[in-house]
Amino acid sequence: MEDSAHPKRAVTVADVAKAAKVSKATAARVLGGYGVVSAKITDQVMAAAAALEYRPNELARSMSTGRSGIIGVVVGDIENAFFSLAVRGISDAARLAGFNVIIANSGEELDAEKSAVDLLIGKRVDGLIVTPARCDSIDHLHHVRRAGVPLVLFDRAIPELDVDAVTGDDRDAAIAATRYLIEQGHRRLAYVSAMDAEGGGPTDIGRISNSAVRERVEGFVSVLTEAGLPNPLHYVRLGATDQRQTDGVIKSLLADSAAPTALLASDSLVGLRIFKSLQSLGLSIPRDVSMISFLDADWTSVTVPPITIVDQRVYEMGKLAGERLIARIERTPLAVERLRVRTSLVLRGSVATIGQ
């Protein structure tokens, strides 16, 4: 039985070298994965390492190789299925390339994001994937670039930063969903987002600091304008940040003298909150109000009726972001790009046809 007062000493490279009957330098080359060593000697060293239960000292490895083998990821809201799927894709890409992942959650708060970025840089991560809470406050991301740490943006793009970004085709996705509602006869359409904002709705789309939200609102408004509908921003609502706030947003919309007949939810969490709000008001989808939600979250297919969704292929987005960051870490020569992953509209039973 191990004496807890005198814990077992960590096995070192020198211990492995002695057991394998090779020099410390040879054992270090085998265990570090660099240099040229014969297959026979490699097998000897690896067998000795396994027998001794050798565990590499990651700090020492990072000091000798200049790499930690770790990728840092800062997401907006890990509770959101969108980011959970994205992290799975990033992690799978990282694992295949021999990297580990540290995940931080900003809660869409700029200060929390800055703290997370500082912490991860302090841990000597080899690269960062960040979902920026705001696209108009990026000094900390410029600092990442100045520190020489490869950076890829996820879900949101900031052209001024001159780094890769992996996003959905947000504007086109909103256009497709909104056009479908127009084709079904709807003329009073609302767009509801979790992005926090004073006053509940934007008066200037260009001032929306989240690029994904801004582009979706742009797409939504462009279709309403194309259809000749007046005041297209009238039914755009921000601030559905939790169930209580969403209840207030939905009650406000439905209390309008010309209440919307269809709702477009910016993400699956907002969509679920809207669904609960409508249920609490005793309203039926799509008899009383139609609805479309971004993201094919599990709940959208088990409701009655199932919810028409914008399928965002988020796992693919995450995997692509991970692969792009690894290419940057490996110094693969690539032009800076915004990589858009196309979406599709999946029709289910949550949209009624009006006046046809």
Side-chain angles (χ1 to χ4, degrees):
M1 181 176 177
E2 185 175 314
D3 184 352
S4 60
H6 300 282
K8 183 179 177 182
R9 179 178 65 85
V11 176
T12 66
V13 173
D15 295 328
V16 174
K18 183 178 180 181
K21 295 183 172 58
V22 299
S23 70
K24 182 178 176 182
T26 297
R29 282 196 294 273
V30 173
L31 297 171
Y34 61 88
V36 179
V37 183
S38 71
K40 179 181 177 182
I41 295 298
T42 297
D43 289 345
Q44 281 180 224
V45 172
M46 296 307 291
L52 294 172
E53 297 183 350
Y54 168 77
R55 295 291 182 270
N57 183 321
E58 297 296 345
L59 178 59
R61 175 185 288 179
S62 70
M63 292 176 67
S64 63
T65 65
R67 289 189 184 175
S68 64
I70 298 172
I71 288 171
V73 180
V74 183
V75 297
D77 183 1
I78 201 66
E79 181 187 1
N80 191 323
F82 176 89
F83 290 115
S84 299
L85 280 170
V87 166
R88 176 67 183 273
I90 292 168
S91 299
D92 285 354
R95 187 180 65 254
L96 286 173
F99 289 86
N100 292 311
V101 176
I102 297 178
I103 301 163
N105 184 51
S106 73
E108 300 288 8
E109 295 288 341
L110 182 61
D111 287 344
E113 179 186 311
K114 290 178 178 179
S115 296
V117 167
D118 286 345
L119 175 66
L120 291 168
I121 293 295
K123 288 187 176 294
R124 301 170 63 92
V125 294
D126 294 327
L128 278 172
I129 296 173
V130 178
T131 300
R134 297 185 63 93
C135 297
D136 59 356
S137 185
I138 57 174
D139 286 349
H140 61 300
L141 299 179
H142 279 300
H143 173 68
V144 173
R145 301 281 287 130
R146 288 192 295 269
V149 177
L151 171 66
V152 171
L153 302 183
F154 182 77
D155 186 48
R156 296 150 202 181
I158 305 175
E160 301 84 354
L161 205 54
D162 195 33
V163 298
D164 298 310
V166 178
T167 72
D169 57 345
D170 294 299
R171 194 175 192 277
D172 290 344
I175 286 173
T178 310
R179 277 188 180 152
Y180 175 68
L181 292 170
I182 293 288
E183 288 165 3
Q184 300 310 302
H186 294 274
R187 294 296 179 269
R188 300 192 303 277
L189 287 67
Y191 179 90
V192 182
S193 171
M195 181 182 170
D196 205 0
E198 294 181 7
T203 56
D204 179 1
I205 298 174
R207 294 174 65 93
I208 297 175
S209 64
N210 180 315
S211 68
V213 174
R214 182 175 65 249
E215 291 174 17
R216 291 178 193 179
V217 172
E218 286 173 349
F220 175 81
V221 166
S222 72
V223 175
L224 301 190
T225 303
E226 177 185 274
L229 300 177
N231 196 8
L233 281 174
H234 179 68
Y235 296 114
V236 174
R237 294 289 189 275
L238 309 180
T241 53
D242 57 29
Q243 191 60 55
R244 184 179 65 82
Q245 295 289 341
T246 305
D247 288 344
V249 166
I250 297 304
K251 286 178 181 177
S252 173
L253 281 169
L254 297 180
D256 193 285
S257 57
T261 62
L263 306 170
L264 177 56
S266 63
D267 63 59
S268 63
L269 269 183
V270 172
L272 181 56
R273 291 172 190 146
I274 289 173
F275 184 83
K276 290 178 177 178
S277 293
L278 295 174
Q279 275 194 324
S280 70
L281 294 170
L283 299 176
S284 173
I285 300 173
R287 185 190 66 209
D288 298 311
V289 62
S290 294
M291 176 179 168
I292 296 177
S293 177
F294 273 76
L295 189 64
D296 190 14
D298 289 343
W299 72 267
T300 62
S301 62
V302 298
T303 56
V304 180
I307 306 297
T308 292
I309 55 97
V310 176
D311 187 3
Q312 296 177 273
R313 296 165 60 193
V314 184
Y315 175 86
E316 182 180 331
M317 288 172 62
K319 189 167 182 288
L320 185 58
E323 291 169 347
R324 193 69 172 193
L325 182 63
I326 290 160
R328 292 300 181 192
I329 293 169
E330 302 291 349
R331 301 185 183 279
T332 304
L334 294 167
V336 171
E337 290 184 84
R338 177 176 176 179
L339 304 170
R340 290 180 174 88
V341 176
R342 292 202 62 81
T343 57
S344 58
L345 192 62
V346 179
L347 305 181
R348 293 173 179 161
S350 62
V351 176
T353 300
I354 294 180
Q356 296 181 21

